[in-house]
Amino acid sequence: MLSFSQSSVSFQNSRGTKRKWVPEEDVALVACIVDLYNVGTYNADTRFKTGYLNELERMLEKVLPHAILKAKLNLESMIRTLKRDWAIVYDMLRGKDNSSQKASGQFRYHSFLYYDKLTSIYAKDRATRKDAQTAADIVEEIDAEDVATANNLEKGNNYIR
């Protein structure tokens, strides 16, 4: 098995050195973001506080010691990319702004593996209107509707007898 330092490829483009992320690094990054969010030390309203990137760098160093991921160079860019992709899928699933075929086309036939985890963190950031809800609120509302429907069916069965 290749180590992360061997599988992480850097290449030169017109803007400088660009790092290619491997799936294992994505998984570790998302897991560390969720852990950092759940701890709550770096949470501020719907965003993270200043300094969270440095903490993520330390967390990832423990999980992926050979990856050499730096806060400003690597993490900031990848988090921005993950959040952008999450927002595209989020809007697509909510039926909002589906006119952007170019942006949403990449997710039409491919899943976004980190959707649920990132929704728990970023959904309140996207929900800004009066009736905005998080995914947890929507699930709770659906469960309440299911209970009400089941109760109505039971009452309806009593009248048929």
Side-chain angles (χ1 to χ4, degrees):
M1 185 168 145
L2 295 173
S3 71
F4 287 102
S5 60
Q6 292 172 338
S7 62
S8 301
V9 179
S10 294
F11 57 92
Q12 190 75 23
N13 66 11
S14 61
R15 290 184 244 160
T17 302
K18 187 168 181 142
R19 186 177 192 288
K20 179 154 176 59
W21 284 69
V22 294
E24 293 85 2
E25 293 169 340
D26 288 344
V27 170
L29 175 61
V30 171
C32 287
I33 290 172
V34 170
D35 288 347
L36 191 63
Y37 179 80
N38 289 337
V39 168
T41 307
Y42 288 92
N43 297 358
D45 295 325
T46 58
R47 294 190 164 83
F48 287 106
K49 292 180 184 176
T50 304
Y52 85 99
L53 286 174
N54 293 328
E55 182 61 25
L56 272 177
E57 183 180 324
R58 284 188 287 276
M59 292 169 74
L60 285 167
E61 178 63 31
K62 292 175 186 172
V63 178
L64 305 170
H66 301 292
I68 309 170
L69 297 168
K70 296 298 177 193
K72 273 295 195 191
L73 296 175
N74 310 119
L75 300 181
E76 186 176 47
S77 174
M78 190 58 188
I79 290 170
R80 191 178 317 117
T81 300
L82 285 170
K83 190 171 179 181
R84 182 200 64 218
D85 290 350
W86 169 84
I88 291 167
V89 174
Y90 183 82
D91 288 345
M92 223 171 74
L93 293 175
R94 298 192 42 97
K96 181 181 170 190
D97 194 26
N98 284 338
S99 61
S100 178
Q101 297 290 334
K102 184 179 179 184
S104 62
Q106 64 181 323
F107 298 109
R108 292 220 184 271
Y109 304 106
H110 301 286
S111 62
F112 182 62
L113 302 175
Y114 315 112
Y115 180 77
D116 291 334
K117 291 179 181 182
L118 294 177
T119 296
S120 67
I121 297 171
Y122 296 123
K124 286 192 178 187
D125 191 25
R126 298 283 295 178
T128 55
R129 288 179 282 166
K130 178 183 144 227
D131 297 322
Q133 295 178 312
T134 65
D137 295 334
I138 293 168
V139 168
E140 185 176 310
E141 185 178 309
I142 290 170
D143 289 343
E145 289 174 5
D146 289 346
V147 168
T149 302
N151 289 340
N152 287 338
L153 289 174
E154 286 178 14
K155 288 179 184 177
N157 288 340
N158 290 336
Y159 295 117
I160 295 173
R161 292 182 191 165

